[in-house]
Amino acid sequence: MKEQEEVPALSHKEVKDEAVEATCTIAGKTEGSHCTTCGAVLKEQEEIPALGHKEVKDEAVEATCTTAGKTEGSHCETCGAILKEQEEISALGHKEVKDEAVEATCTTVGKTEGSHCATCGEVLKEQEEIPMLDHSEVKDEAVNATCTIAGKTEGSHCAICGKVLEKQEEIPAYGHKEVEDEAVEAPALPAERQLEAIARTAEKC
Ligand SMILES: [Zn+2]
Ligand SMILES: [Zn+2]
Ligand SMILES: [Zn+2]
Ligand SMILES: [Zn+2]
């Protein structure tokens, strides 16, 4: 038998195994190396566990009458993955409330019927102004003045609201118009004629 000759061992040919960074969901590896000739692992790569997501809250948004809202959700701050999806809440729509019509009178303006939203206050149907009505004119008859009672000129007022449209001016009482009875010299009238004359003077008023 042939004696075996000892051949010196070749040194390994080291090749680097690149490190792999861990992500939120995938494990990484530390840097390592192996021998390209024999495949022996020279420096073992160690596993770096997945980091896990970093959850950040996405605030809920309240729906209004006209804009949609969202439920609360969350996402990962690191990779942006959505962890809890936000669901859309549809707009609520206006809640219409009637604004009653107001009749116009001869002293106040009126309004047509309108409406607004009870929730947000937005006017949905504008109330239009109805102009004031004309006064309903009624004549106030003139009153003739007498010797003792004052009179009034003709005027007018509104039959509905009572407002004086044309003021009645006062005509003062005329006052007695004294007429002197002629003095009658004697021979005096018989007593009953004198009384008659006095009575006539008095009647004039
Ligand atoms: Zn080797
Ligand atoms: Zn992530
Ligand atoms: Zn509204
Ligand atoms: Zn009136």
Side-chain angles (χ1 to χ4, degrees), residues 126-164:
E126 188 127 18
Q127 289 186 290
E128 275 164 53
E129 196 176 287
I130 301 168
M132 267 194 263
L133 301 174
D134 289 332
H135 290 297
S136 186
E137 190 169 358
V138 170
K139 210 178 264 186
D140 296 312
E141 297 286 352
V143 176
N144 285 329
T146 69
C147 296
T148 51
I149 300 164
K152 282 175 185 175
T153 58
E154 188 183 288
S156 66
H157 69 275
C158 175
I160 294 158
C161 70
K163 186 182 169 174
V164 172

Side-chain angles (χ1 to χ4, degrees), residues 101-119:
V102 176
E103 261 182 80
T105 69
C106 52
T107 52
T108 55
V109 295
K111 282 176 184 175
T112 58
E113 190 184 288
S115 67
H116 69 275
C117 173
T119 313

Side-chain angles (χ1 to χ4, degrees), residues 19-165:
V20 176
E21 258 183 82
T23 70
C24 296
T25 51
I26 300 164
K29 283 174 182 173
T30 58
E31 192 184 287
S33 65
H34 68 275
C35 174
T36 47
T37 315
C38 68
V41 171
L42 304 174
K43 189 180 171 191
E44 187 131 19
Q45 286 187 288
E46 274 167 49
E47 193 178 291
I48 304 165
L51 305 170
H53 291 301
K54 198 166 173 188
E55 191 168 0
V56 172
K57 211 181 261 187
D58 296 312
E59 297 286 349
V61 177
E62 258 184 82
T64 70
C65 296
T66 51
T67 57
K70 281 176 184 175
T71 58
E72 191 184 286
S74 66
H75 69 274
C76 173
E77 198 181 33
T78 314
C79 70
I82 289 166
L83 304 176
K84 188 179 167 190
E85 187 134 16
Q86 287 186 290
E87 273 165 54
E88 193 176 296
I89 303 165
S90 46
L92 305 170
H94 291 303
K95 200 170 172 184
E96 192 167 359
V97 171
K98 212 180 262 186
D99 296 312
E100 298 285 351
V102 176
E103 261 182 80
T105 69
C106 52
T107 52
T108 55
V109 295
K111 282 176 184 175
T112 58
E113 190 184 288
S115 67
H116 69 275
C117 173
T119 313
C120 71
E122 195 181 307
V123 171
L124 304 175
K125 189 178 166 192
E126 188 127 18
Q127 289 186 290
E128 275 164 53
E129 196 176 287
I130 301 168
M132 267 194 263
L133 301 174
D134 289 332
H135 290 297
S136 186
E137 190 169 358
V138 170
K139 210 178 264 186
D140 296 312
E141 297 286 352
V143 176
N144 285 329
T146 69
C147 296
T148 51
I149 300 164
K152 282 175 185 175
T153 58
E154 188 183 288
S156 66
H157 69 275
C158 175
I160 294 158
C161 70
K163 186 182 169 174
V164 172
L165 303 174

